[in-house]
Amino acid sequence: MADIQGTYDRLFLAVPNALADMLDAGDAGGSVAVFVDGEPVVDVWGGFADAGRTLPWERDTLVNVWSVTKTMTALCALVLVDRGALDPDAPVARYWPEFAAAGKDKVLVRHLLAHTAGLPDWDGPTDELYDWPAATSRLAARAPRWEPGTAAGYHSLTQGFLVGEVVRRVTGRSVGDFLAEEVTGPLGADFHIGLPPAHDHRVALTIPPTGRDEDYAASAPANPTGSEAGNGVRVRDGNSLAWRRAQIPAASGYGNARSVALVQSLLACGGEVNGVRLLSRAGCDRAREEQFDGDDRVLGMPMRWGLGYGLFGGTYGWGGWGGSLVLIDPDSRMVVAYVTHQMREPTQDTRGLELVTAAYEGLQGLRR
């Protein structure tokens, strides 16, 4: 069995065992954290941080979590809503006047968070993702593909720029700076949007699925032959220094399972973790206010969207391209986070579900 490092409550033994099974099955490396009541009951890692399997995965290894980043960006918006600085029912143009172009004057802030704004496509060059003014100007000039609020289509890359520019207009700070100063800093969480060079030595580069190379491109889980959901982003793009330095708030966050679980425990625990309160309970509840229930036009499958999070029964969260995941269960005050740099084909990847199932086994024992 693969060697698993870290700590865990014996009731949650199924979680590190599941990670070991994944590593034994061929995964290079990863980390898992389960927080209950804002405290870690599982904080484990294992495997290797490089494709050549020469560098061990360490406690502070960082990985690009891809779309799990969206949950961090959404949390920044929810904090501003809770403070009264941002109105989810306001037109986006109230904060970002240029956005009213091309018939978008009635797009609401909540539409951006719920993937219902009608702007799911990134039609610019990849290099423009690294240029915030160019990316946001391109989106401000676009016409929506459908009447905003009437349909949903996963805004894979565009959501981060859309929500992020609203955050910037309201606060005068980028999403990455706001997150660092107002959320991860106070919590002591090792998560970054726009990674400084000092952390480069800790990064585990993304490894494409077996039989694929770095030209492997993102696609919708239910539409693996198309790349619309990822707008053509390739593994080599995500492994570039330009990607790492840029703030792409839908897809370029770097962290480990511990930091993801710690931050999102705010929502599981009524807005306060370790004596740090960043949200009211009502502010937390907004995340799971249903905004859409139906077939997502981009993902090609039924989806329920809240304010920035996918809704799954009484839980919510989201996953990233390649396998990373966070699930929040406010009724149980539990968060499960998994991050990995080892991709699998979307239709063959059940790792997140296996780890969530293992966490619930431990929770049942804990609550007895």
Side-chain angles (χ1 to χ4, degrees):
M1 180 177 284
D3 184 27
I4 301 299
Q5 302 292 314
T7 60
Y8 56 90
D9 186 306
R10 294 293 300 178
L11 291 172
F12 289 82
L13 177 61
V15 177
N17 282 350
L19 178 61
D21 288 344
M22 293 165 193
L23 298 174
D24 288 340
D27 281 6
S31 65
V32 187
V34 180
F35 276 49
V36 177
D37 295 326
E39 297 291 340
V41 292
V42 177
D43 180 9
V44 296
W45 58 90
F48 297 92
D50 64 326
R53 306 191 181 212
T54 61
L55 301 173
W57 192 288
E58 304 285 359
R59 183 182 188 276
D60 64 349
T61 294
L62 299 176
V63 64
N64 180 10
V65 300
W66 298 97
S67 285
V68 171
T69 311
K70 291 179 173 68
T71 66
M72 300 295 181
T73 302
L75 183 60
C76 290
L78 291 173
V79 168
L80 291 173
V81 170
D82 204 39
R83 293 177 180 176
L86 179 62
D87 182 356
D89 292 313
V92 175
R94 176 187 296 179
Y95 308 102
W96 181 4
E98 301 91 329
F99 187 81
K104 299 195 301 303
D105 53 303
K106 292 184 172 60
V107 178
L108 307 181
V109 172
R110 67 172 62 252
H111 295 154
L112 304 185
L113 287 162
H115 301 273
T116 61
L119 299 166
D121 307 306
W122 175 254
D123 62 352
T126 299
D127 286 352
E128 203 171 277
L129 294 171
Y130 315 136
D131 184 336
W132 188 272
T136 52
S137 295
R138 176 180 292 274
L139 291 171
R142 289 280 306 278
R145 274 178 47 184
W146 59 78
E147 182 182 349
T150 64
Y154 185 47
H155 290 45
S156 177
L157 287 172
T158 59
Q159 190 200 43
F161 291 114
L162 296 168
V163 176
E165 181 64 6
V166 171
V167 169
R168 191 184 74 82
R169 297 290 178 121
V170 170
T171 68
R173 289 176 282 177
S174 68
V175 170
D177 288 347
F178 183 86
L179 180 72
E181 294 165 11
E182 303 287 346
V183 181
T184 57
L187 291 174
D190 189 12
F191 192 95
H192 315 265
I193 299 178
L195 190 71
H199 299 291
D200 281 346
H201 69 283
R202 299 198 284 139
V203 173
L205 298 179
T206 300
I207 301 172
T210 302
R212 303 278 195 164
D213 60 22
E214 284 200 323
D215 286 325
Y216 179 63
S219 63
N223 181 25
T225 58
S227 60
E228 185 176 17
N231 294 275
V233 169
R234 304 164 301 169
V235 170
R236 72 171 65 255
D237 300 320
N239 280 342
S240 69
L241 279 176
W243 182 278
R244 205 178 301 170
R245 298 286 179 264
Q247 293 196 24
I248 306 170
S252 73
Y254 285 80
N256 45 46
R258 181 188 318 108
S259 63
V260 173
L262 174 58
V263 173
Q264 297 300 325
S265 285
L266 283 167
L267 294 175
C269 298
E272 181 178 349
V273 175
N274 295 333
V276 178
R277 177 166 289 282
L278 297 179
L279 283 165
S280 68
R281 186 168 296 277
C284 295
D285 289 342
R286 287 191 184 98
R288 52 176 172 171
E289 290 177 358
E290 184 178 281
Q291 307 297 307
F292 177 83
D293 183 1
D295 290 333
D296 186 290
R297 293 188 176 192
V298 173
L299 296 178
M301 62 185 186
M303 271 300 307
R304 291 174 61 230
W305 290 112
L307 281 179
Y309 294 78
L311 307 181
F312 310 98
T315 68
Y316 55 100
W318 197 238
W321 185 37
S324 296
L325 166 142
V326 63
L327 187 82
I328 302 153
D329 184 342
D331 296 331
S332 298
R333 296 173 62 88
M334 181 174 77
V335 175
V336 183
Y338 167 57
V339 308
T340 181
H341 64 150
Q342 176 67 65
M343 290 183 156
R344 293 188 187 180
E345 298 287 355
T347 56
Q348 301 168 8
D349 196 351
T350 60
R351 292 172 294 179
L353 179 59
E354 291 168 19
L355 289 164
V356 167
T357 300
Y360 274 102
E361 289 181 23
L363 184 69
Q364 289 175 358
L366 190 67
R367 297 305 193 199
R368 284 193 185 118

